[in-house]
Amino acid sequence: MSTSEPVWFTSAVTDGSTERRRAAPAAAAGAGTLLQLLRDGVPRTRSELSALTGLARSTVTGRVDALLAAGLIAPSGETASTGGRPPATFAFNPAAKIALGADLGATHARLAVTDLAGNVLTAVNADLEIALGPEAVLDLVVEHGRKLLDEVGRPVRDLLGIGIGLPGPVEHSTGRAVNPPIMPGWDGFDVPSYVRQRIPVPVLVDNDVNIMALGEHFTAWPEYEHLLFIKAATGIGCGIIAGGQVYRGAQGAAGDMGHIRVAGADDAHCRCGNTGCLEAVASGAAIAAKLTAEGIPAGGSLDVVELARSGSVPALRRVRQAGRDIGEVLAGAVNFFNPSIIVIGGSLALAGDHLIAGVREVIYQRSLPLATRHLRIAAARTGESSGAIGAGVMVIEHALDPARLDAGTGALKPTSHKTNG
Ligand SMILES: [Zn+2]
């Protein structure tokens, strides 16, 4: 799919740069473009919309009517006026529709229903073995999804779509997993059509790191257009937000940084068959193995976190070194991609400041001054919901894509759902 230029529409985002990004070519401004303007939540009059888009008042009126009929905007009162009838204002109506996001891990899933502003209306965690195969897992996703819809009292016709994140490589355009190492039976499986047969709405699929990046960006860092999200957990991956959109690369493999070579780590054997991979030296699994070999038993990422939090010096030292190793690979990425922020998340990031301190140490030392002058390196803020929220956001951005709406498809169909205006 091609997502449009997404506009992150938390009401806090009203600075000039965002406003500039919203200003689309006036000639092409359709109802979708108008909606994009209003997604910041600020109520506007027809005159203001006309001035912002350069469209004639009559054209704006027609497009406002279409958005009102679809429920995507709602009247939001009248502005103060010195005399005569005050002009009506209109605002984005996030309650018009909902999205369902599912973040599937190796052994558990988190599902969330959000409104169009990405607010979580309800969510559930479930134990779910991805290795059970696609039918069994997706049947459970559908079952939990239906329950969540019931909980919020919304029918399927209010559902814009379903977003699903999988713990392995995904070809986003077809929604199929590609040779996923921990997902027996999933290779090439047509996830969207299987789910659509059970809940007839658009279904979009991506890998777990990309949806986490999207959820984290949308929720916590909407003002940063170029973001790298690092998931440091049992494995290590990176989600790339470029120009406000997920960057996936030609085959969807962009950001797979876990198998980039780290200097001096040639004796570390990786599960991919190579040696010296970042994942083989700096992942939660790799640190746990090293600690165990040192006589400090650790079963995995979470044990490492627990040891670090309890002040185990060997664990803290290993976590800090993992941060440096991650930083070494990222230093090259910083020079190459020039992100405005790097967000460190995943279970290993719960070990505290030592991971991020190691990352900072190497990046600021090894990257070019111009690339690091304004670079921020921060811990993830969204927590365990980032993936499920991001999966929902993927659906919202797709459905509210201005080009799609301007073409008269997507969410711009009259709805029976009452607006909250
Ligand atoms: Zn590898």
Side-chain angles (χ1 to χ4, degrees), residues 258-259 270-274 277 279:
H259 303 282
C270 183
R271 62 187 167 93
C272 76
N274 285 325
C277 294
E279 205 166 285

Side-chain angles (χ1 to χ4, degrees), residues 186-226:
W186 287 80
D187 186 23
F189 188 84
D190 188 349
V191 174
S193 74
Y194 186 86
V195 175
R196 257 197 324 266
Q197 279 161 27
R198 284 145 187 89
I199 303 181
V201 294
V203 178
L204 301 174
V205 189
D206 207 339
N207 71 60
D208 55 348
V209 186
N210 283 351
I211 60 164
M212 284 172 82
L214 197 50
E216 186 69 29
H217 179 249
F218 186 86
T219 309
W221 317 98
E223 69 275 32
Y224 292 86
E225 286 197 40
H226 309 289

Side-chain angles (χ1 to χ4, degrees), residues 78-290:
E78 296 168 337
T79 57
S81 176
T82 50
R85 197 165 62 94
T89 61
F90 304 93
F92 181 51
N93 175 27
K97 299 272 182 185
I98 51 174
L100 173 63
D103 176 18
L104 309 186
T107 57
H108 73 278
R110 185 168 176 85
L111 282 81
V113 171
T114 72
D115 66 11
L116 296 183
N119 299 309
V120 175
L121 304 177
T122 184
V124 66
N125 282 324
D127 291 330
L128 198 156
E129 294 286 336
I130 200 85
L132 289 173
E135 283 100 344
V137 168
L138 294 174
D139 284 348
L140 279 165
V141 168
V142 165
E143 188 188 320
H144 283 295
R146 285 212 181 97
K147 273 186 206 156
L148 292 181
L149 290 187
D150 286 348
E151 255 174 54
V152 295
R154 302 288 293 261
V156 168
R157 69 170 181 276
D158 284 354
L159 186 61
L160 269 189
I162 301 173
I164 299 175
L166 297 178
V170 170
E171 189 182 64
H172 179 67
S173 57
T174 61
R176 295 167 193 257
V178 182
N179 296 318
I182 61 163
M183 299 168 61
W186 287 80
D187 186 23
F189 188 84
D190 188 349
V191 174
S193 74
Y194 186 86
V195 175
R196 257 197 324 266
Q197 279 161 27
R198 284 145 187 89
I199 303 181
V201 294
V203 178
L204 301 174
V205 189
D206 207 339
N207 71 60
D208 55 348
V209 186
N210 283 351
I211 60 164
M212 284 172 82
L214 197 50
E216 186 69 29
H217 179 249
F218 186 86
T219 309
W221 317 98
E223 69 275 32
Y224 292 86
E225 286 197 40
H226 309 289
L227 174 150
L228 293 179
F229 175 84
I230 313 305
K231 180 187 180 187
T234 303
I236 297 175
C238 174
I240 304 168
I241 305 284
Q245 305 180 45
V246 175
Y247 177 81
R248 298 185 173 88
Q251 259 74 47
D256 198 353
M257 67 183 278
H259 303 282
I260 294 177
R261 203 179 188 83
V262 177
D266 290 344
D267 56 339
H269 292 272
C270 183
R271 62 187 167 93
C272 76
N274 285 325
T275 56
C277 294
L278 178 62
E279 205 166 285
V281 293
S283 66
I287 299 173
K290 285 177 191 171

